[in-house]
Short mmCIF file of all heavy atoms in Angstrom, two decimals:
data_model
loop_
_atom_site.label_atom_id
_atom_site.label_comp_id
_atom_site.label_asym_id
_atom_site.label_seq_id
_atom_site.Cartn_x
_atom_site.Cartn_y
_atom_site.Cartn_z
N MET W 23 -203.30 147.90 -82.57
CA MET W 23 -203.80 148.42 -81.31
C MET W 23 -202.82 148.06 -80.19
O MET W 23 -202.26 146.97 -80.18
CB MET W 23 -205.16 147.81 -80.97
CG MET W 23 -206.27 148.24 -81.85
SD MET W 23 -206.74 149.88 -81.38
CE MET W 23 -208.07 150.14 -82.46
N THR W 24 -202.66 148.99 -79.28
CA THR W 24 -201.78 148.79 -78.14
C THR W 24 -202.52 149.10 -76.86
O THR W 24 -203.23 150.11 -76.78
CB THR W 24 -200.55 149.73 -78.24
OG1 THR W 24 -199.87 149.46 -79.45
CG2 THR W 24 -199.61 149.54 -77.08
N ARG W 25 -202.36 148.25 -75.87
CA ARG W 25 -202.93 148.48 -74.54
C ARG W 25 -201.83 149.05 -73.66
O ARG W 25 -200.74 148.48 -73.58
CB ARG W 25 -203.45 147.17 -73.95
CG ARG W 25 -203.99 147.30 -72.56
CD ARG W 25 -204.33 145.92 -71.99
NE ARG W 25 -204.59 145.98 -70.59
CZ ARG W 25 -203.66 145.87 -69.63
NH1 ARG W 25 -202.40 145.70 -69.94
NH2 ARG W 25 -203.99 145.95 -68.37
N LYS W 26 -202.12 150.16 -73.01
CA LYS W 26 -201.14 150.78 -72.12
C LYS W 26 -201.77 150.95 -70.74
O LYS W 26 -202.94 151.32 -70.64
CB LYS W 26 -200.72 152.16 -72.64
CG LYS W 26 -200.04 152.10 -74.00
CD LYS W 26 -199.72 153.50 -74.49
CE LYS W 26 -199.10 153.46 -75.87
NZ LYS W 26 -197.67 153.31 -75.85
N LEU W 27 -200.99 150.69 -69.71
CA LEU W 27 -201.42 150.93 -68.33
C LEU W 27 -200.54 152.06 -67.81
O LEU W 27 -199.33 151.90 -67.67
CB LEU W 27 -201.27 149.67 -67.49
CG LEU W 27 -201.88 149.74 -66.10
CD1 LEU W 27 -203.39 149.94 -66.18
CD2 LEU W 27 -201.58 148.45 -65.34
N VAL W 28 -201.16 153.20 -67.55
CA VAL W 28 -200.43 154.41 -67.19
C VAL W 28 -200.70 154.74 -65.73
O VAL W 28 -201.86 154.86 -65.32
CB VAL W 28 -200.89 155.59 -68.09
CG1 VAL W 28 -200.12 156.85 -67.76
CG2 VAL W 28 -200.76 155.23 -69.56
N PRO W 29 -199.64 154.94 -64.93
CA PRO W 29 -199.85 155.37 -63.54
C PRO W 29 -200.25 156.85 -63.53
O PRO W 29 -199.68 157.66 -64.27
CB PRO W 29 -198.49 155.15 -62.89
CG PRO W 29 -197.52 155.25 -64.01
CD PRO W 29 -198.23 154.74 -65.24
N VAL W 30 -201.24 157.18 -62.72
CA VAL W 30 -201.71 158.57 -62.61
C VAL W 30 -201.91 158.89 -61.13
O VAL W 30 -202.56 158.13 -60.43
CB VAL W 30 -203.03 158.77 -63.37
CG1 VAL W 30 -203.54 160.19 -63.21
CG2 VAL W 30 -202.87 158.44 -64.84
N THR W 31 -201.36 160.01 -60.68
CA THR W 31 -201.59 160.43 -59.30
C THR W 31 -202.48 161.66 -59.30
O THR W 31 -202.53 162.42 -60.25
CB THR W 31 -200.26 160.74 -58.59
OG1 THR W 31 -199.56 161.77 -59.30
CG2 THR W 31 -199.38 159.50 -58.49
N GLY W 32 -203.21 161.80 -58.21
CA GLY W 32 -204.08 162.94 -58.03
C GLY W 32 -205.56 162.64 -58.18
O GLY W 32 -206.40 163.48 -57.84
N MET W 33 -205.90 161.46 -58.69
CA MET W 33 -207.32 161.10 -58.80
C MET W 33 -207.80 160.61 -57.43
O MET W 33 -207.13 159.79 -56.80
CB MET W 33 -207.53 159.98 -59.83
CG MET W 33 -207.21 160.34 -61.24
SD MET W 33 -207.68 159.05 -62.43
CE MET W 33 -206.67 157.66 -61.90
N SER W 34 -208.96 161.13 -56.98
CA SER W 34 -209.45 160.74 -55.67
C SER W 34 -210.90 160.26 -55.67
O SER W 34 -211.40 159.84 -54.63
CB SER W 34 -209.30 161.91 -54.69
OG SER W 34 -210.05 163.02 -55.15
N CYS W 35 -211.55 160.32 -56.84
CA CYS W 35 -212.97 159.93 -56.87
C CYS W 35 -213.38 159.59 -58.30
O CYS W 35 -212.59 159.73 -59.24
CB CYS W 35 -213.84 161.06 -56.33
SG CYS W 35 -213.76 162.57 -57.32
N SER W 36 -214.64 159.19 -58.44
CA SER W 36 -215.12 158.82 -59.77
C SER W 36 -215.19 160.03 -60.70
O SER W 36 -215.05 159.88 -61.92
CB SER W 36 -216.48 158.13 -59.68
OG SER W 36 -217.44 158.99 -59.10
N ASN W 37 -215.40 161.22 -60.17
CA ASN W 37 -215.39 162.42 -61.03
C ASN W 37 -214.01 162.64 -61.63
O ASN W 37 -213.89 163.05 -62.78
CB ASN W 37 -215.83 163.66 -60.25
CG ASN W 37 -217.32 163.66 -60.00
OD1 ASN W 37 -218.10 163.06 -60.73
ND2 ASN W 37 -217.73 164.34 -58.94
N CYS W 38 -212.97 162.37 -60.85
CA CYS W 38 -211.60 162.47 -61.36
C CYS W 38 -211.40 161.47 -62.50
O CYS W 38 -210.81 161.80 -63.53
CB CYS W 38 -210.58 162.19 -60.25
SG CYS W 38 -210.60 163.38 -58.90
N GLU W 39 -211.89 160.26 -62.30
CA GLU W 39 -211.79 159.24 -63.34
C GLU W 39 -212.46 159.72 -64.63
O GLU W 39 -211.90 159.59 -65.72
CB GLU W 39 -212.46 157.94 -62.88
CG GLU W 39 -211.76 157.25 -61.75
CD GLU W 39 -212.54 156.07 -61.20
OE1 GLU W 39 -213.72 155.86 -61.60
OE2 GLU W 39 -211.99 155.35 -60.37
N GLN W 40 -213.65 160.28 -64.50
CA GLN W 40 -214.38 160.76 -65.67
C GLN W 40 -213.65 161.89 -66.38
O GLN W 40 -213.65 161.95 -67.61
CB GLN W 40 -215.78 161.20 -65.27
CG GLN W 40 -216.66 160.05 -64.86
CD GLN W 40 -218.02 160.50 -64.33
OE1 GLN W 40 -218.29 161.69 -64.21
NE2 GLN W 40 -218.87 159.55 -63.99
N THR W 41 -213.01 162.75 -65.60
CA THR W 41 -212.26 163.86 -66.20
C THR W 41 -211.12 163.34 -67.05
O THR W 41 -210.90 163.77 -68.19
CB THR W 41 -211.73 164.79 -65.10
OG1 THR W 41 -212.84 165.34 -64.37
CG2 THR W 41 -210.88 165.92 -65.68
N VAL W 42 -210.36 162.38 -66.50
CA VAL W 42 -209.23 161.80 -67.23
C VAL W 42 -209.72 161.02 -68.44
O VAL W 42 -209.17 161.15 -69.55
CB VAL W 42 -208.37 160.90 -66.31
CG1 VAL W 42 -207.32 160.14 -67.09
CG2 VAL W 42 -207.72 161.74 -65.22
N GLU W 43 -210.76 160.23 -68.27
CA GLU W 43 -211.30 159.44 -69.38
C GLU W 43 -211.80 160.35 -70.51
O GLU W 43 -211.56 160.08 -71.69
CB GLU W 43 -212.44 158.55 -68.89
CG GLU W 43 -211.95 157.40 -68.02
CD GLU W 43 -213.08 156.62 -67.37
OE1 GLU W 43 -214.26 157.02 -67.50
OE2 GLU W 43 -212.79 155.61 -66.69
N SER W 44 -212.46 161.42 -70.15
CA SER W 44 -212.97 162.35 -71.15
C SER W 44 -211.83 163.02 -71.92
O SER W 44 -211.89 163.13 -73.14
CB SER W 44 -213.84 163.40 -70.46
OG SER W 44 -214.30 164.34 -71.39
N ALA W 45 -210.81 163.45 -71.21
CA ALA W 45 -209.67 164.10 -71.85
C ALA W 45 -208.97 163.16 -72.82
O ALA W 45 -208.69 163.51 -73.96
CB ALA W 45 -208.69 164.62 -70.80
N LEU W 46 -208.69 161.94 -72.36
CA LEU W 46 -208.00 160.97 -73.21
C LEU W 46 -208.88 160.51 -74.36
O LEU W 46 -208.39 160.22 -75.45
CB LEU W 46 -207.53 159.77 -72.39
CG LEU W 46 -206.36 160.05 -71.45
CD1 LEU W 46 -206.15 158.88 -70.50
CD2 LEU W 46 -205.09 160.34 -72.24
N GLY W 47 -210.17 160.46 -74.14
CA GLY W 47 -211.10 160.04 -75.18
C GLY W 47 -211.13 160.98 -76.37
O GLY W 47 -211.56 160.61 -77.46
N ARG W 48 -210.68 162.22 -76.17
CA ARG W 48 -210.64 163.19 -77.26
C ARG W 48 -209.41 163.03 -78.16
O ARG W 48 -209.34 163.63 -79.22
CB ARG W 48 -210.70 164.61 -76.71
CG ARG W 48 -212.08 164.98 -76.16
CD ARG W 48 -212.21 166.45 -75.84
NE ARG W 48 -211.39 166.87 -74.72
CZ ARG W 48 -211.77 166.87 -73.44
NH1 ARG W 48 -212.97 166.44 -73.13
NH2 ARG W 48 -210.96 167.29 -72.50
N LEU W 49 -208.45 162.23 -77.72
CA LEU W 49 -207.28 161.98 -78.57
C LEU W 49 -207.69 161.11 -79.76
O LEU W 49 -208.50 160.20 -79.62
CB LEU W 49 -206.18 161.24 -77.80
CG LEU W 49 -205.39 162.01 -76.76
CD1 LEU W 49 -204.43 161.07 -76.03
CD2 LEU W 49 -204.62 163.15 -77.42
N ASP W 50 -207.10 161.40 -80.91
CA ASP W 50 -207.35 160.56 -82.08
C ASP W 50 -206.82 159.16 -81.82
O ASP W 50 -205.81 158.98 -81.14
CB ASP W 50 -206.65 161.14 -83.32
CG ASP W 50 -207.30 162.42 -83.79
OD1 ASP W 50 -208.48 162.65 -83.48
OD2 ASP W 50 -206.60 163.21 -84.46
N SER W 51 -207.47 158.18 -82.36
CA SER W 51 -207.02 156.78 -82.32
C SER W 51 -207.18 156.10 -80.98
O SER W 51 -206.66 155.01 -80.76
CB SER W 51 -205.56 156.66 -82.78
OG SER W 51 -205.40 157.22 -84.05
N VAL W 52 -207.90 156.71 -80.03
CA VAL W 52 -208.17 156.06 -78.75
C VAL W 52 -209.46 155.27 -78.89
O VAL W 52 -210.49 155.81 -79.29
CB VAL W 52 -208.29 157.10 -77.61
CG1 VAL W 52 -208.78 156.45 -76.33
CG2 VAL W 52 -206.95 157.78 -77.38
N THR W 53 -209.40 153.98 -78.56
CA THR W 53 -210.61 153.17 -78.69
C THR W 53 -211.23 152.82 -77.34
O THR W 53 -212.41 152.51 -77.28
CB THR W 53 -210.33 151.86 -79.45
OG1 THR W 53 -209.30 151.14 -78.78
CG2 THR W 53 -209.90 152.15 -80.88
N ARG W 54 -210.43 152.87 -76.26
CA ARG W 54 -210.98 152.56 -74.93
C ARG W 54 -210.12 153.23 -73.88
O ARG W 54 -208.89 153.25 -73.97
CB ARG W 54 -211.02 151.06 -74.70
CG ARG W 54 -211.78 150.66 -73.44
CD ARG W 54 -212.06 149.17 -73.40
NE ARG W 54 -210.89 148.39 -73.08
CZ ARG W 54 -210.48 148.14 -71.83
NH1 ARG W 54 -211.12 148.64 -70.81
NH2 ARG W 54 -209.41 147.40 -71.63
N VAL W 55 -210.78 153.76 -72.84
CA VAL W 55 -210.09 154.36 -71.70
C VAL W 55 -210.83 153.96 -70.45
O VAL W 55 -212.06 154.07 -70.39
CB VAL W 55 -210.08 155.91 -71.79
CG1 VAL W 55 -209.36 156.50 -70.59
CG2 VAL W 55 -209.47 156.39 -73.07
N GLU W 56 -210.09 153.51 -69.45
CA GLU W 56 -210.70 153.19 -68.16
C GLU W 56 -209.76 153.64 -67.05
O GLU W 56 -208.67 153.09 -66.88
CB GLU W 56 -210.99 151.70 -68.03
CG GLU W 56 -211.75 151.36 -66.78
CD GLU W 56 -212.15 149.90 -66.71
OE1 GLU W 56 -212.31 149.28 -67.77
OE2 GLU W 56 -212.27 149.39 -65.59
N ALA W 57 -210.19 154.65 -66.30
CA ALA W 57 -209.40 155.16 -65.18
C ALA W 57 -209.87 154.51 -63.88
O ALA W 57 -211.04 154.19 -63.73
CB ALA W 57 -209.55 156.68 -65.08
N ASP W 58 -208.94 154.32 -62.96
CA ASP W 58 -209.25 153.72 -61.65
C ASP W 58 -208.52 154.52 -60.58
O ASP W 58 -207.31 154.41 -60.42
CB ASP W 58 -208.80 152.26 -61.63
CG ASP W 58 -209.23 151.53 -60.37
OD1 ASP W 58 -209.42 152.18 -59.32
OD2 ASP W 58 -209.37 150.30 -60.43
N HIS W 59 -209.29 155.33 -59.84
CA HIS W 59 -208.66 156.19 -58.83
C HIS W 59 -208.13 155.39 -57.63
O HIS W 59 -207.21 155.83 -56.96
CB HIS W 59 -209.62 157.29 -58.34
CG HIS W 59 -210.71 156.82 -57.43
ND1 HIS W 59 -211.86 156.24 -57.90
CD2 HIS W 59 -210.81 156.85 -56.10
CE1 HIS W 59 -212.63 155.94 -56.87
NE2 HIS W 59 -212.02 156.30 -55.77
N GLU W 60 -208.68 154.22 -57.38
CA GLU W 60 -208.20 153.40 -56.26
C GLU W 60 -206.84 152.78 -56.56
O GLU W 60 -206.00 152.65 -55.67
CB GLU W 60 -209.22 152.34 -55.90
CG GLU W 60 -210.49 152.92 -55.30
CD GLU W 60 -211.53 151.87 -54.99
OE1 GLU W 60 -211.31 150.67 -55.25
OE2 GLU W 60 -212.60 152.26 -54.47
N ASP W 61 -206.62 152.40 -57.81
CA ASP W 61 -205.34 151.82 -58.22
C ASP W 61 -204.37 152.87 -58.78
O ASP W 61 -203.23 152.56 -59.09
CB ASP W 61 -205.54 150.74 -59.30
CG ASP W 61 -206.18 149.48 -58.74
OD1 ASP W 61 -206.09 149.24 -57.52
OD2 ASP W 61 -206.78 148.74 -59.54
N ASN W 62 -204.87 154.11 -58.95
CA ASN W 62 -204.08 155.20 -59.52
C ASN W 62 -203.54 154.83 -60.90
O ASN W 62 -202.37 155.05 -61.20
CB ASN W 62 -202.93 155.60 -58.59
CG ASN W 62 -203.44 156.19 -57.29
OD1 ASN W 62 -204.29 157.06 -57.31
ND2 ASN W 62 -202.93 155.70 -56.19
N THR W 63 -204.42 154.29 -61.74
CA THR W 63 -204.02 153.89 -63.09
C THR W 63 -205.07 154.29 -64.11
O THR W 63 -206.24 154.52 -63.77
CB THR W 63 -203.80 152.37 -63.21
OG1 THR W 63 -205.03 151.71 -62.86
CG2 THR W 63 -202.66 151.89 -62.33
N VAL W 64 -204.63 154.35 -65.35
CA VAL W 64 -205.52 154.50 -66.49
C VAL W 64 -205.11 153.45 -67.50
O VAL W 64 -203.95 153.35 -67.88
CB VAL W 64 -205.41 155.91 -67.12
CG1 VAL W 64 -206.25 155.98 -68.38
CG2 VAL W 64 -205.83 156.98 -66.14
N GLU W 65 -206.07 152.65 -67.91
CA GLU W 65 -205.83 151.69 -68.99
C GLU W 65 -206.38 152.32 -70.27
O GLU W 65 -207.52 152.78 -70.30
CB GLU W 65 -206.55 150.38 -68.71
CG GLU W 65 -206.30 149.34 -69.77
CD GLU W 65 -206.99 148.01 -69.48
OE1 GLU W 65 -207.43 147.79 -68.34
OE2 GLU W 65 -207.09 147.22 -70.42
N ILE W 66 -205.54 152.34 -71.28
CA ILE W 66 -205.92 152.98 -72.54
C ILE W 66 -205.55 152.05 -73.69
O ILE W 66 -204.50 151.43 -73.68
CB ILE W 66 -205.24 154.37 -72.67
CG1 ILE W 66 -205.68 155.08 -73.94
CG2 ILE W 66 -203.74 154.28 -72.56
CD1 ILE W 66 -205.26 156.54 -73.99
N VAL W 67 -206.47 151.94 -74.64
CA VAL W 67 -206.22 151.17 -75.85
C VAL W 67 -206.18 152.16 -77.01
O VAL W 67 -207.14 152.91 -77.23
CB VAL W 67 -207.30 150.09 -76.08
CG1 VAL W 67 -207.04 149.34 -77.37
CG2 VAL W 67 -207.35 149.13 -74.90
N VAL W 68 -205.03 152.18 -77.69
CA VAL W 68 -204.80 153.16 -78.74
C VAL W 68 -204.17 152.50 -79.96
O VAL W 68 -203.60 151.41 -79.87
CB VAL W 68 -203.87 154.29 -78.26
CG1 VAL W 68 -204.51 155.09 -77.15
CG2 VAL W 68 -202.53 153.75 -77.81
N ASP W 69 -204.24 153.20 -81.09
CA ASP W 69 -203.49 152.77 -82.26
C ASP W 69 -202.01 152.95 -81.96
O ASP W 69 -201.63 153.77 -81.12
CB ASP W 69 -203.88 153.59 -83.49
CG ASP W 69 -205.24 153.22 -84.03
OD1 ASP W 69 -205.75 152.15 -83.67
OD2 ASP W 69 -205.80 154.01 -84.82
N ASP W 70 -201.18 152.23 -82.67
CA ASP W 70 -199.74 152.25 -82.41
C ASP W 70 -199.10 153.62 -82.67
O ASP W 70 -198.01 153.88 -82.18
CB ASP W 70 -199.04 151.20 -83.26
CG ASP W 70 -199.44 149.78 -82.85
OD1 ASP W 70 -199.81 149.58 -81.68
OD2 ASP W 70 -199.39 148.89 -83.70
N ASP W 71 -199.77 154.49 -83.40
CA ASP W 71 -199.17 155.78 -83.73
C ASP W 71 -199.32 156.84 -82.64
O ASP W 71 -198.77 157.93 -82.76
CB ASP W 71 -199.71 156.30 -85.06
CG ASP W 71 -201.21 156.55 -85.02
OD1 ASP W 71 -201.89 155.96 -84.16
OD2 ASP W 71 -201.69 157.31 -85.86
N VAL W 72 -200.03 156.55 -81.55
CA VAL W 72 -200.19 157.51 -80.45
C VAL W 72 -198.93 157.47 -79.59
O VAL W 72 -198.50 156.42 -79.13
CB VAL W 72 -201.44 157.19 -79.62
CG1 VAL W 72 -201.54 158.11 -78.42
CG2 VAL W 72 -202.69 157.31 -80.48
N GLU W 73 -198.35 158.64 -79.37
CA GLU W 73 -197.12 158.77 -78.59
C GLU W 73 -197.42 158.81 -77.10
O GLU W 73 -198.42 159.41 -76.68
CB GLU W 73 -196.39 160.06 -78.99
CG GLU W 73 -195.98 160.13 -80.44
CD GLU W 73 -194.78 159.26 -80.74
OE1 GLU W 73 -193.96 159.03 -79.84
OE2 GLU W 73 -194.66 158.82 -81.89
N ASP W 74 -196.53 158.20 -76.29
CA ASP W 74 -196.67 158.27 -74.84
C ASP W 74 -196.68 159.72 -74.37
O ASP W 74 -197.37 160.07 -73.42
CB ASP W 74 -195.54 157.51 -74.16
CG ASP W 74 -195.66 156.00 -74.34
OD1 ASP W 74 -196.75 155.52 -74.72
OD2 ASP W 74 -194.66 155.29 -74.08
N ARG W 75 -195.90 160.56 -75.03
CA ARG W 75 -195.82 161.98 -74.67
C ARG W 75 -197.20 162.64 -74.79
O ARG W 75 -197.60 163.44 -73.94
CB ARG W 75 -194.82 162.68 -75.59
CG ARG W 75 -194.71 164.17 -75.41
CD ARG W 75 -193.73 164.79 -76.40
NE ARG W 75 -193.85 164.29 -77.77
CZ ARG W 75 -194.67 164.79 -78.68
NH1 ARG W 75 -195.42 165.81 -78.39
NH2 ARG W 75 -194.71 164.27 -79.90
N ASP W 76 -197.96 162.30 -75.82
CA ASP W 76 -199.29 162.87 -76.00
C ASP W 76 -200.24 162.43 -74.89
O ASP W 76 -201.05 163.23 -74.40
CB ASP W 76 -199.87 162.46 -77.36
CG ASP W 76 -199.09 163.03 -78.53
OD1 ASP W 76 -198.46 164.10 -78.36
OD2 ASP W 76 -199.07 162.39 -79.59
N ILE W 77 -200.12 161.17 -74.48
CA ILE W 77 -200.95 160.66 -73.39
C ILE W 77 -200.61 161.40 -72.11
O ILE W 77 -201.49 161.87 -71.38
CB ILE W 77 -200.77 159.13 -73.24
CG1 ILE W 77 -201.30 158.42 -74.49
CG2 ILE W 77 -201.45 158.63 -71.98
CD1 ILE W 77 -200.95 156.96 -74.58
N ARG W 78 -199.32 161.52 -71.81
CA ARG W 78 -198.86 162.20 -70.59
C ARG W 78 -199.35 163.66 -70.58
O ARG W 78 -199.90 164.13 -69.58
CB ARG W 78 -197.35 162.17 -70.50
CG ARG W 78 -196.78 163.01 -69.36
CD ARG W 78 -195.27 163.10 -69.43
NE ARG W 78 -194.64 161.86 -69.06
CZ ARG W 78 -194.32 161.53 -67.81
NH1 ARG W 78 -194.57 162.36 -66.83
NH2 ARG W 78 -193.74 160.38 -67.56
N GLU W 79 -199.15 164.36 -71.68
CA GLU W 79 -199.54 165.77 -71.75
C GLU W 79 -201.05 165.94 -71.59
O GLU W 79 -201.51 166.90 -70.96
CB GLU W 79 -199.07 166.38 -73.05
CG GLU W 79 -197.57 166.58 -73.12
CD GLU W 79 -197.08 167.07 -74.47
OE1 GLU W 79 -197.90 167.24 -75.41
OE2 GLU W 79 -195.85 167.29 -74.60
N THR W 80 -201.82 165.03 -72.13
CA THR W 80 -203.27 165.11 -72.01
C THR W 80 -203.71 164.91 -70.56
O THR W 80 -204.56 165.65 -70.06
CB THR W 80 -203.95 164.06 -72.92
OG1 THR W 80 -203.57 164.32 -74.28
CG2 THR W 80 -205.46 164.10 -72.79
N ILE W 81 -203.13 163.94 -69.88
CA ILE W 81 -203.45 163.70 -68.48
C ILE W 81 -203.05 164.90 -67.63
O ILE W 81 -203.82 165.37 -66.78
CB ILE W 81 -202.77 162.41 -67.98
CG1 ILE W 81 -203.39 161.19 -68.66
CG2 ILE W 81 -202.88 162.29 -66.45
CD1 ILE W 81 -202.63 159.89 -68.44
N GLU W 82 -201.87 165.43 -67.88
CA GLU W 82 -201.39 166.57 -67.11
C GLU W 82 -202.22 167.82 -67.38
O GLU W 82 -202.48 168.60 -66.46
CB GLU W 82 -199.92 166.81 -67.38
CG GLU W 82 -199.05 165.70 -66.77
CD GLU W 82 -197.58 165.80 -67.10
OE1 GLU W 82 -197.20 166.59 -68.00
OE2 GLU W 82 -196.81 165.06 -66.46
N SER W 83 -202.68 168.00 -68.61
CA SER W 83 -203.52 169.16 -68.92
C SER W 83 -204.89 169.06 -68.25
O SER W 83 -205.56 170.07 -68.05
CB SER W 83 -203.66 169.36 -70.42
OG SER W 83 -204.47 168.35 -70.98
N ALA W 84 -205.29 167.84 -67.90
CA ALA W 84 -206.55 167.63 -67.18
C ALA W 84 -206.38 167.86 -65.67
O ALA W 84 -207.35 167.81 -64.92
CB ALA W 84 -207.08 166.23 -67.44
N GLY W 85 -205.13 168.09 -65.23
CA GLY W 85 -204.88 168.42 -63.83
C GLY W 85 -204.33 167.30 -62.98
O GLY W 85 -204.32 167.41 -61.75
N TYR W 86 -203.85 166.24 -63.60
CA TYR W 86 -203.32 165.09 -62.87
C TYR W 86 -201.87 164.85 -63.26
O TYR W 86 -201.38 165.39 -64.24
CB TYR W 86 -204.21 163.86 -63.12
CG TYR W 86 -205.63 164.15 -62.73
CD1 TYR W 86 -206.53 164.63 -63.66
CD2 TYR W 86 -206.04 164.02 -61.41
CE1 TYR W 86 -207.83 164.96 -63.29
CE2 TYR W 86 -207.34 164.34 -61.03
CZ TYR W 86 -208.22 164.81 -61.97
OH TYR W 86 -209.50 165.15 -61.59
N ASP W 87 -201.19 164.03 -62.49
CA ASP W 87 -199.77 163.80 -62.71
C ASP W 87 -199.50 162.38 -63.18
O ASP W 87 -200.19 161.43 -62.75
CB ASP W 87 -198.96 164.04 -61.43
CG ASP W 87 -199.01 165.50 -61.01
OD1 ASP W 87 -198.81 166.38 -61.87
OD2 ASP W 87 -199.26 165.76 -59.81
N VAL W 88 -198.51 162.24 -64.03
CA VAL W 88 -198.02 160.95 -64.48
C VAL W 88 -196.59 160.82 -63.94
O VAL W 88 -195.69 161.52 -64.39
CB VAL W 88 -198.01 160.83 -66.02
CG1 VAL W 88 -197.45 159.49 -66.46
CG2 VAL W 88 -199.41 161.04 -66.57
N PRO W 89 -196.39 159.94 -62.93
CA PRO W 89 -195.04 159.80 -62.37
C PRO W 89 -194.05 159.33 -63.43
O PRO W 89 -194.41 158.58 -64.34
CB PRO W 89 -195.19 158.73 -61.28
CG PRO W 89 -196.66 158.64 -61.02
CD PRO W 89 -197.35 159.08 -62.28
N ALA W 90 -192.83 159.78 -63.28
CA ALA W 90 -191.76 159.39 -64.25
C ALA W 90 -191.44 157.93 -64.17
O ALA W 90 -191.63 157.25 -63.24
CB ALA W 90 -190.52 160.20 -63.99
#
């Protein structure tokens, strides 16, 4: 298991957090997701086989940005 803290921009409320959490929760091997719009972060716990690219693409497909 790996814990990742991902910066996310564009979240402004708890509904935004839920949208990101729901999207990431659909990825295989995700065991925990917690978004925080005030800190502009998402903490995710995943198996080691989940690629950062997949996390980024999932967040972006939900309508939010992951700064480089």
Side-chain angles (χ1 to χ4, degrees):
M23 292 283 183
T24 301
R25 177 187 168 272
K26 298 177 183 272
L27 189 63
V28 182
V30 178
T31 58
M33 295 187 298
S34 60
C35 63
S36 61
N37 286 334
C38 296
E39 293 173 352
Q40 291 174 357
T41 298
V42 172
E43 289 172 355
S44 177
L46 288 169
R48 288 190 292 270
L49 287 176
D50 290 337
S51 304
V52 171
T53 57
R54 189 167 75 85
V55 180
E56 186 175 333
D58 187 334
H59 74 279
E60 292 178 358
D61 289 338
N62 295 312
T63 59
V64 174
E65 181 179 345
I66 183 169
V67 178
V68 295
D69 287 343
D70 294 333
D71 62 339
V72 175
E73 299 285 332
D74 290 344
R75 176 182 44 88
D76 295 333
I77 295 169
R78 173 188 288 272
E79 289 175 358
T80 300
I81 292 170
E82 290 175 348
S83 71
Y86 303 92
D87 294 313
V88 178

